[in-house]
Amino acid sequence: MPRLFTGLEIPAETGFALSLKRGGLTGARWIDPENYHITLRFIGDVDNVTADDVADSLDRLANSMRFSVKLTHLGTFGGDKPRALYAGIEPGEQLNRLQAAQERVLQRAGLPPDGRKFVPHVSLARLRGCSAEEAARFMAEAGRFEPLSFPVGRFVLFSSKDSVGGGPYVVEQSYPLAA
């Protein structure tokens, strides 16, 4: 059964710039730059028939309008027990609209609603045994985060193997966005 999710790819030059933040954080398992992405909707483990339905349903969203994404800061998820370090994204109406449209289309295809709030980000590392103080110190010492912008010309349906996260991810299908 494939494990699926929709997302945006990160251009190589943006991935390289993000990879320069790697290192120096205890308990960090760094994600390889080629696996950086922005998850729009986690779908999960589905059978092949459902996977085909998902791919067909997402076709309806091809030709949504193109937009740009701006990465603006480092952050962590997990509060007092950080579990992930990420690059945060400046809020954008077009990104939120695309994610919400995917949520609607996938629910119509029979998937349960995604109960998590959409917080667009690029995961840089999974954290284990890292205190909130260590994470805060790392982010402070990482230096000023120079914003990184890139145009989004398509979204994709990714698959991944059942693992502890971090890839490898495979693009199963891509959906172009209109100019």
Side-chain angles (χ1 to χ4, degrees):
M1 288 200 303
R3 172 169 286 182
L4 300 176
F5 63 97
T6 64
L8 303 177
E9 299 159 297
I10 303 298
E13 59 276 6
T14 303
F16 175 75
L18 289 172
S19 75
L20 297 177
K21 300 288 185 189
R22 295 166 56 113
L25 182 58
T26 305
R29 190 169 53 79
W30 297 96
I31 294 170
D32 293 331
E34 61 270 15
N35 288 316
Y36 291 161
H37 65 277
I38 300 166
T39 299
L40 296 174
R41 174 56 154 84
F42 181 73
I43 296 164
D45 298 319
V46 296
D47 58 44
N48 289 327
V49 171
T50 303
D52 289 341
D53 288 346
V54 163
D56 290 344
S57 295
L58 290 169
D59 252 341
R60 292 183 218 141
L61 300 177
N63 298 319
S64 296
M65 296 307 290
R66 291 180 182 213
F67 57 94
S68 290
V69 165
K70 183 190 267 188
L71 304 170
T72 59
H73 64 281
L74 293 178
T76 59
F77 289 122
D80 289 342
K81 294 184 179 176
R83 63 183 189 287
L85 174 73
Y86 67 84
I89 296 171
E90 181 176 81
E93 183 181 335
Q94 291 166 303
L95 175 62
N96 288 336
R97 193 177 304 148
L98 178 61
Q99 189 278 333
Q102 288 186 10
E103 181 65 38
R104 283 190 304 277
V105 163
L106 293 172
Q107 284 183 39
R108 276 190 227 123
L111 295 176
D114 187 353
R116 294 171 291 191
K117 181 179 185 243
F118 178 56
V119 179
H121 65 279
V122 178
S123 293
L124 303 178
R126 307 269 185 249
L127 305 177
R128 177 177 282 163
C130 174
S131 71
E133 293 77 22
E134 288 173 303
R137 185 171 36 258
F138 173 83
M139 289 185 288
E141 292 173 358
R144 183 168 172 255
F145 191 99
E146 198 62 45
L148 301 165
S149 296
F150 59 91
V152 175
R154 70 184 195 168
F155 69 90
V156 299
L157 179 63
F158 285 109
S159 68
S160 68
K161 292 191 180 321
D162 186 9
S163 67
V164 292
Y169 304 119
V170 175
V171 173
E172 296 293 338
Q173 194 159 337
S174 64
Y175 304 87
L177 299 176

